[in-house]
Coordinates of all heavy atoms in Angstrom, one line a residue:
Chain A
Q6 N 7.9 -8.2 9.7 CA 8.0 -9.1 8.6 C 9.4 -9.8 8.6 O 10.4 -9.1 8.9 CB 7.8 -8.4 7.2 CG 6.4 -8.0 6.9 CD 6.3 -7.5 5.5 OE1 5.9 -6.3 5.3 NE2 6.6 -8.3 4.5
L21 N 6.7 -16.4 3.9 CA 7.0 -15.1 4.5 C 6.2 -14.9 5.7 O 5.0 -15.1 5.7 CB 6.8 -14.0 3.5 CG 7.4 -14.2 2.1 CD1 7.0 -13.0 1.2 CD2 8.9 -14.4 2.2
S22 N 6.9 -14.5 6.8 CA 6.2 -14.3 8.1 C 5.7 -12.9 8.3 O 6.4 -11.9 7.8 CB 7.2 -14.7 9.2 OG 6.7 -14.3 10.5
C23 N 4.6 -12.7 8.9 CA 4.1 -11.4 9.2 C 3.4 -11.5 10.6 O 2.4 -12.3 10.8 CB 3.1 -10.9 8.2 SG 2.4 -9.3 8.6
M32 N -5.7 -8.0 8.2 CA -4.4 -8.1 7.7 C -4.3 -8.3 6.2 O -5.3 -8.9 5.7 CB -3.6 -9.2 8.5 CG -3.5 -8.9 10.0 SD -2.4 -10.1 10.8 CE -0.8 -9.6 10.3
Y33 N -3.3 -7.9 5.6 CA -3.2 -7.9 4.1 C -1.8 -8.3 3.7 O -0.8 -8.0 4.3 CB -3.5 -6.5 3.6 CG -4.8 -5.8 4.0 CD1 -4.9 -5.3 5.3 CD2 -5.9 -5.8 3.2 CE1 -6.1 -4.7 5.7 CE2 -7.1 -5.3 3.6 CZ -7.2 -4.7 4.8 OH -8.3 -4.1 5.2
W34 N -1.8 -8.9 2.5 CA -0.5 -9.0 1.8 C -0.6 -8.4 0.4 O -1.6 -8.6 -0.4 CB -0.2 -10.5 1.5 CG 0.5 -11.2 2.7 CD1 -0.1 -12.0 3.6 CD2 1.9 -11.0 3.1 NE1 0.9 -12.4 4.5 CE2 2.1 -11.8 4.2 CE3 2.9 -10.3 2.5 CZ2 3.3 -11.9 4.8 CZ3 4.2 -10.4 3.1 CH2 4.4 -11.2 4.3
Y35 N 0.4 -7.5 0.1 CA 0.5 -6.9 -1.2 C 1.9 -7.3 -1.8 O 2.8 -7.6 -1.2 CB 0.5 -5.4 -1.0 CG -0.8 -4.8 -0.7 CD1 -1.2 -4.6 0.6 CD2 -1.7 -4.4 -1.7 CE1 -2.4 -4.0 0.9 CE2 -2.9 -3.8 -1.4 CZ -3.3 -3.6 -0.1 OH -4.5 -3.1 0.2
R36 N 1.8 -7.2 -3.1 CA 3.1 -7.4 -3.9 C 3.4 -6.1 -4.7 O 2.4 -5.5 -5.2 CB 2.8 -8.6 -4.9 CG 3.9 -8.7 -6.0 CD 3.6 -9.8 -7.0 NE 4.6 -9.7 -8.0 CZ 5.1 -10.8 -8.6 NH1 4.8 -12.0 -8.2 NH2 6.0 -10.6 -9.6
R44 N -0.2 -4.4 -5.4 CA -1.3 -5.2 -5.9 C -1.7 -6.2 -4.7 O -0.8 -6.8 -4.2 CB -0.9 -6.0 -7.1 CG -0.8 -5.1 -8.4 CD -0.5 -5.9 -9.6 NE 0.8 -6.5 -9.6 CZ 1.2 -7.4 -10.5 NH1 0.3 -7.9 -11.4 NH2 2.4 -7.9 -10.5
L45 N -3.0 -6.4 -4.5 CA -3.4 -7.1 -3.3 C -3.4 -8.6 -3.7 O -4.0 -9.1 -4.7 CB -4.8 -6.7 -3.0 CG -5.5 -7.3 -1.7 CD1 -4.6 -7.0 -0.5 CD2 -6.9 -6.9 -1.6
I46 N -2.8 -9.4 -2.8 CA -2.7 -10.9 -3.0 C -3.8 -11.6 -2.2 O -4.6 -12.3 -2.8 CB -1.3 -11.4 -2.5 CG1 -0.2 -10.7 -3.2 CG2 -1.2 -12.9 -2.7 CD1 1.2 -11.0 -2.7
Y47 N -3.8 -11.4 -0.9 CA -4.8 -11.9 0.0 C -5.1 -10.9 1.1 O -4.2 -10.1 1.5 CB -4.3 -13.2 0.6 CG -4.7 -14.5 -0.1 CD1 -3.7 -15.1 -1.0 CD2 -5.9 -15.1 0.0 CE1 -4.0 -16.3 -1.6 CE2 -6.2 -16.3 -0.6 CZ -5.3 -16.9 -1.5 OH -5.6 -18.0 -2.1
Y48 N -6.3 -11.0 1.7 CA -6.5 -10.3 2.9 C -7.4 -11.1 3.8 O -8.2 -12.0 3.4 CB -7.1 -8.9 2.6 CG -8.5 -8.9 2.0 CD1 -9.6 -8.5 2.7 CD2 -8.7 -9.2 0.6 CE1 -10.9 -8.4 2.1 CE2 -9.9 -9.2 0.0 CZ -11.0 -8.8 0.7 OH -12.2 -8.7 0.1
V66 N -2.3 -18.5 2.1 CA -2.2 -17.9 3.4 C -2.9 -18.7 4.4 O -3.7 -19.6 4.1 CB -2.8 -16.5 3.4 CG1 -1.9 -15.5 2.5 CG2 -4.2 -16.4 3.0
F74 N -0.2 -13.7 10.0 CA -0.8 -13.9 8.7 C 0.3 -14.3 7.7 O 0.8 -13.5 6.9 CB -1.5 -12.6 8.3 CG -2.4 -12.7 7.1 CD1 -3.2 -13.8 6.9 CD2 -2.4 -11.7 6.1 CE1 -4.0 -13.9 5.8 CE2 -3.2 -11.8 5.0 CZ -4.1 -12.9 4.9
P75 N 0.8 -15.5 7.8 CA 2.0 -15.9 6.9 C 1.5 -16.1 5.5 O 0.4 -16.6 5.2 CB 2.4 -17.2 7.5 CG 1.2 -17.7 8.2 CD 0.5 -16.6 8.7
L76 N 2.4 -15.8 4.5 CA 2.2 -16.0 3.1 C 3.1 -17.0 2.5 O 4.3 -16.9 2.7 CB 2.4 -14.6 2.4 CG 2.3 -14.7 0.9 CD1 0.9 -14.8 0.4 CD2 2.9 -13.4 0.2
Y89 N 7.4 -7.9 -1.1 CA 6.2 -8.3 -0.5 C 5.9 -7.4 0.7 O 6.8 -7.4 1.6 CB 6.2 -9.8 -0.2 CG 6.1 -10.6 -1.5 CD1 7.3 -11.0 -2.1 CD2 4.9 -11.0 -2.0 CE1 7.2 -11.8 -3.3 CE2 4.9 -11.8 -3.2 CZ 6.0 -12.1 -3.8 OH 6.0 -12.9 -4.9
L90 N 4.8 -6.9 0.8 CA 4.4 -6.0 2.0 C 3.2 -6.6 2.7 O 2.2 -6.9 2.1 CB 4.1 -4.6 1.5 CG 5.3 -3.8 1.1 CD1 4.9 -2.6 0.2 CD2 6.0 -3.2 2.3
C91 N 3.4 -6.7 4.0 CA 2.3 -7.1 4.9 C 1.7 -5.8 5.6 O 2.5 -4.9 5.9 CB 2.8 -8.1 5.9 SG 1.5 -8.7 7.1
A92 N 0.4 -5.8 5.8 CA -0.1 -4.6 6.5 C -1.3 -5.1 7.3 O -1.9 -6.2 7.2 CB -0.6 -3.6 5.4
S107 N 9.4 -7.7 2.6 CA 10.3 -8.8 2.3 C 10.6 -8.9 0.9 O 9.7 -8.9 0.0 CB 9.7 -10.2 2.7 OG 9.5 -10.2 4.1

Side-chain angles (χ1 to χ4, degrees):
Chain A
Q6 286 187 240
L21 307 180
S22 169
C23 179
M32 296 188 74
Y33 305 79
W34 275 104
Y35 287 90
R36 167 184 173 141
R44 292 185 291 168
L45 184 62
I46 304 173
Y47 268 98
Y48 65 108
V66 293
F74 192 41
L76 174 74
Y89 291 89
L90 285 159
C91 179
S107 295

